[in-house]
Amino acid sequence: MRRYSHGYVREESSIRKIIKGGGRLTNPLFWINENNELNALYFPLMFAVPSLYLIAGFIFSVAYAFRSELREEKRRYLVIGSVPFGVMAFGMIQVVALNAPTFCFGCTIMWLWFYIQNTKALISVDDLTHLNNRGQINRYLEQIRYSEDSRVIILMIDIDKFKGINDRYGHAEGDRALVIVSDALRQTCDQINASVFLGRYGGDEFTIIIQNPKDEDHTERLITLLRNNLAEKQQENSLPYELDVSIGYDEVTDGNDSVYACMTRADEKLYIDKKRNAGKM
């Protein structure tokens, strides 16, 4: 402080305090000297805090991916985790190799990639069950071609007495039943050693498309696994109603057959199975 002749005391200006405290990190002269040259610690410290944040995001994303039992959730967490990893890589290029703002470009590129990935998911994934939606099923069917070296089998699956669940327990419980069946279907497909495509066809109806070598038949095993998984999930969730499905399936027979005709035959067999199941109840 400085005392003046007229008798009052005035605090030193904040600028003088900063200049006097030349060793503190908050002092601009710590970062930039009188020749306008940056301190050697400037860039390492500038990247330290965001890098720690990005590393933490990557670690947590990978950890959640490994904990998740659902394939779609694993993929989503790994996509999220790859964003900070990519940003860090661009940051290291800027610090080590190039005197250019690659860190900023890297952030833009990675978040744009993340946006595209999520947009693709929104277009192709059903909101409630997180399975492939009807549009994605149709796009997948268009890519399938008959081959003598492999079989194409299409299963159509429908929840039994689903309307009764909605009417008696409400639509929220109906949605819950759809999610539980979806989880059982996903779990079942993961247990099959074949190329398996799973989607929600619409309402309470689902589609599974199996492509596998001629000498293998996974269909009956898949159906048995699905019913067992459904029974386990019904017990785990203490459902007040029986959760079961009707199933119809057929196979693409030759080059003159189409996957759409095969799906139609599978759908017809589904309703035959549904009537048979209704007669047992």
Side-chain angles (χ1 to χ4, degrees), residues 148-184:
E148 294 182 356
D149 299 326
S150 65
R151 305 171 64 191
V152 177
I153 301 167
I154 299 178
L155 295 89
M156 301 298 290
I157 301 159
D158 189 88
I159 301 176
D160 291 338
K161 291 189 172 182
F162 183 70
K163 185 177 183 301
I165 296 173
N166 277 329
D167 292 344
R168 183 171 180 181
Y169 300 99
H171 289 280
E173 186 62 33
D175 287 348
R176 182 180 176 223
L178 284 168
V179 171
I180 292 172
V181 171
S182 300
D183 290 344

XYZ file of all heavy atoms in Angstrom, residues 148-184:
290
model
N -25.228 -71.734 -53.991
C -25.269 -73.179 -53.744
C -24.417 -73.581 -52.546
O -24.583 -74.674 -52.003
C -24.779 -73.933 -54.993
C -25.706 -73.780 -56.201
C -25.218 -74.581 -57.392
O -24.115 -75.194 -57.270
O -25.915 -74.610 -58.422
N -23.508 -72.735 -52.137
C -22.606 -73.054 -51.032
C -23.158 -72.678 -49.658
O -22.532 -72.967 -48.638
C -21.257 -72.340 -51.228
C -20.568 -72.787 -52.507
O -20.713 -73.973 -52.873
O -19.906 -71.940 -53.141
N -24.289 -72.001 -49.613
C -24.836 -71.582 -48.317
C -26.353 -71.619 -48.337
O -26.978 -71.683 -49.398
C -24.353 -70.171 -47.962
O -24.872 -69.230 -48.884
N -26.916 -71.593 -47.149
C -28.363 -71.592 -46.998
C -28.812 -70.241 -46.459
O -28.109 -69.604 -45.683
C -28.800 -72.699 -46.030
C -28.302 -74.073 -46.408
C -28.595 -75.058 -45.301
N -30.020 -75.255 -45.070
C -30.535 -75.898 -44.032
N -29.737 -76.403 -43.115
N -31.832 -76.055 -43.906
N -30.000 -69.816 -46.868
C -30.616 -68.609 -46.335
C -31.954 -69.011 -45.728
O -32.848 -69.482 -46.431
C -30.822 -67.542 -47.425
C -31.540 -66.331 -46.838
C -29.497 -67.142 -48.044
N -32.065 -68.853 -44.420
C -33.273 -69.240 -43.698
C -33.847 -68.003 -43.020
O -33.111 -67.250 -42.357
C -32.962 -70.311 -42.634
C -32.361 -71.545 -43.318
C -34.219 -70.698 -41.866
C -31.736 -72.527 -42.363
N -35.139 -67.781 -43.200
C -35.804 -66.610 -42.621
C -36.827 -67.082 -41.593
O -37.668 -67.939 -41.879
C -36.493 -65.770 -43.707
C -35.448 -65.266 -44.711
C -37.246 -64.603 -43.090
C -36.021 -64.467 -45.857
N -36.725 -66.511 -40.391
C -37.673 -66.822 -39.329
C -38.521 -65.592 -39.041
O -38.000 -64.470 -38.944
C -36.964 -67.231 -38.041
C -36.150 -68.523 -38.040
C -34.710 -68.268 -38.470
C -36.172 -69.171 -36.650
N -39.830 -65.788 -38.915
C -40.745 -64.742 -38.487
C -41.249 -65.119 -37.097
O -41.685 -66.257 -36.873
C -41.903 -64.587 -39.468
C -41.476 -64.246 -40.891
S -40.609 -62.672 -41.013
C -41.950 -61.523 -40.682
N -41.176 -64.181 -36.170
C -41.463 -64.453 -34.758
C -42.478 -63.441 -34.252
O -42.343 -62.231 -34.501
C -40.164 -64.378 -33.918
C -39.156 -65.401 -34.449
C -40.433 -64.611 -32.444
C -37.738 -65.102 -34.072
N -43.471 -63.919 -33.533
C -44.549 -63.064 -33.038
C -44.830 -63.402 -31.575
O -44.852 -64.569 -31.188
C -45.809 -63.267 -33.891
C -46.885 -62.261 -33.579
O -46.876 -61.182 -34.200
O -47.733 -62.548 -32.707
N -45.048 -62.371 -30.736
C -45.321 -62.595 -29.310
C -46.754 -63.082 -29.135
O -47.705 -62.463 -29.647
C -45.102 -61.306 -28.498
C -43.662 -60.821 -28.656
C -45.416 -61.540 -27.019
C -43.377 -59.499 -27.963
N -46.931 -64.174 -28.410
C -48.268 -64.711 -28.152
C -49.021 -63.828 -27.157
O -48.450 -63.343 -26.169
C -48.156 -66.132 -27.594
C -47.659 -67.131 -28.622
O -47.801 -66.848 -29.831
O -47.093 -68.170 -28.227
N -50.318 -63.628 -27.436
C -51.217 -62.880 -26.550
C -50.695 -61.486 -26.200
O -50.890 -60.993 -25.092
C -51.465 -63.669 -25.258
C -52.288 -64.934 -25.466
C -52.680 -65.523 -24.130
C -53.648 -66.670 -24.306
N -54.072 -67.238 -23.007
N -50.036 -60.848 -27.164
C -49.481 -59.523 -26.877
C -50.580 -58.480 -26.651
O -50.448 -57.599 -25.794
C -48.575 -59.082 -28.036
C -47.910 -57.766 -27.810
C -46.915 -57.625 -26.855
C -48.283 -56.644 -28.559
C -46.300 -56.404 -26.635
C -47.661 -55.427 -28.341
C -46.673 -55.308 -27.389
N -51.658 -58.568 -27.402
C -52.772 -57.634 -27.220
C -53.342 -57.748 -25.807
O -53.710 -56.746 -25.187
C -53.863 -57.901 -28.253
C -55.007 -56.900 -28.222
C -56.018 -57.169 -29.314
C -57.117 -56.130 -29.308
N -57.865 -56.062 -28.046
N -53.403 -58.986 -25.293
C -53.907 -59.185 -23.938
C -53.012 -58.530 -22.890
O -53.504 -58.017 -21.877
N -51.707 -58.539 -23.129
C -50.777 -57.872 -22.201
C -51.047 -56.373 -22.185
O -51.121 -55.746 -21.121
C -49.314 -58.159 -22.612
C -49.013 -59.653 -22.493
C -48.345 -57.350 -21.744
C -47.647 -60.055 -23.032
N -51.226 -55.791 -23.378
C -51.518 -54.352 -23.459
C -52.856 -54.017 -22.807
O -52.974 -53.035 -22.067
C -51.539 -53.907 -24.925
C -50.149 -53.618 -25.459
O -49.265 -53.194 -24.731
N -49.956 -53.848 -26.746
N -53.871 -54.829 -23.084
C -55.211 -54.537 -22.573
C -55.295 -54.673 -21.055
O -55.949 -53.869 -20.384
C -56.236 -55.474 -23.228
C -56.404 -55.175 -24.718
O -55.978 -54.093 -25.150
O -56.951 -56.037 -25.438
N -54.623 -55.672 -20.516
C -54.740 -55.927 -19.075
C -53.739 -55.135 -18.238
O -54.078 -54.644 -17.162
C -54.555 -57.423 -18.809
C -54.730 -57.788 -17.334
C -54.760 -59.274 -17.138
N -54.933 -59.618 -15.729
C -54.984 -60.856 -15.268
N -54.884 -61.888 -16.112
N -55.144 -61.082 -13.980
N -52.514 -54.989 -18.731
C -51.460 -54.376 -17.908
C -51.025 -52.998 -18.410
O -50.216 -52.337 -17.748
C -50.241 -55.306 -17.859
C -50.542 -56.656 -17.268
C -50.768 -57.756 -18.100
C -50.613 -56.847 -15.894
C -51.051 -59.008 -17.565
C -50.899 -58.089 -15.352
C -51.113 -59.166 -16.197
O -51.398 -60.412 -15.659
N -51.535 -52.584 -19.553
C -51.203 -51.258 -20.073
C -50.091 -51.309 -21.111
O -49.336 -52.273 -21.200
N -49.993 -50.227 -21.877
C -49.025 -50.185 -22.973
C -47.590 -50.091 -22.474
O -46.661 -50.525 -23.171
C -49.345 -49.023 -23.909
C -50.587 -49.238 -24.720
N -50.611 -50.023 -25.851
C -51.859 -48.795 -24.550
C -51.838 -50.048 -26.366
N -52.615 -49.310 -25.583
N -47.393 -49.511 -21.300
C -46.028 -49.460 -20.748
C -45.505 -50.869 -20.497
O -44.335 -51.172 -20.780
C -46.014 -48.643 -19.458
N -46.380 -51.741 -19.978
C -45.975 -53.129 -19.753
C -45.807 -53.859 -21.085
O -44.935 -54.741 -21.221
C -47.013 -53.850 -18.892
C -46.617 -55.254 -18.479
C -45.347 -55.282 -17.627
O -45.122 -54.337 -16.857
O -44.574 -56.261 -17.757
N -46.627 -53.484 -22.072
C -46.459 -54.055 -23.406
C -45.098 -53.703 -23.992
O -44.421 -54.552 -24.592
N -44.682 -52.450 -23.800
C -43.347 -52.036 -24.251
C -42.265 -52.819 -23.511
O -41.246 -53.205 -24.102
C -43.145 -50.539 -24.022
C -43.924 -49.694 -25.003
O -44.441 -50.248 -25.990
O -44.027 -48.472 -24.776
N -42.475 -53.024 -22.223
C -41.508 -53.790 -21.429
C -41.395 -55.216 -21.967
O -40.292 -55.775 -22.058
C -41.938 -53.805 -19.970
C -40.969 -54.528 -19.032
C -41.485 -54.492 -17.618
N -40.635 -55.259 -16.716
C -41.079 -56.068 -15.777
N -42.380 -56.233 -15.597
N -40.255 -56.715 -14.995
N -42.520 -55.817 -22.319
C -42.510 -57.177 -22.880
C -41.741 -57.205 -24.196
O -40.969 -58.147 -24.457
C -43.943 -57.666 -23.089
N -41.914 -56.187 -25.017
C -41.180 -56.109 -26.287
C -39.672 -56.035 -26.048
O -38.884 -56.690 -26.740
C -41.628 -54.884 -27.082
C -42.987 -54.972 -27.784
C -43.415 -53.603 -28.279
C -42.913 -55.953 -28.956
N -39.272 -55.259 -25.054
C -37.845 -55.114 -24.741
C -37.274 -56.437 -24.222
O -36.168 -56.846 -24.595
C -37.627 -53.989 -23.714
C -36.182 -53.977 -23.219
C -37.992 -52.641 -24.327
N -38.043 -57.121 -23.366
C -37.572 -58.397 -22.813
C -37.411 -59.435 -23.922
O -36.415 -60.166 -23.985
C -38.545 -58.902 -21.723
C -38.480 -57.981 -20.497
C -38.211 -60.339 -21.317
C -39.541 -58.268 -19.452
N -38.399 -59.521 -24.817
C -38.308 -60.463 -25.940
C -37.134 -60.096 -26.843
O -36.397 -60.977 -27.309
C -39.631 -60.487 -26.735
C -39.467 -61.299 -28.015
C -40.751 -61.077 -25.886
N -36.930 -58.797 -27.072
C -35.803 -58.352 -27.899
C -34.475 -58.772 -27.290
O -33.567 -59.234 -28.000
C -35.842 -56.826 -28.055
O -37.041 -56.417 -28.674
N -34.357 -58.617 -25.976
C -33.123 -59.031 -25.291
C -32.907 -60.540 -25.414
O -31.777 -61.006 -25.615
C -33.173 -58.631 -23.812
C -33.071 -57.126 -23.622
O -32.671 -56.435 -24.577
O -33.396 -56.645 -22.524
N -34.003 -61.309 -25.288
C -33.894 -62.766 -25.423
C -33.487 -63.149 -26.850
O -32.669 -64.055 -27.052
C -35.221 -63.425 -25.052
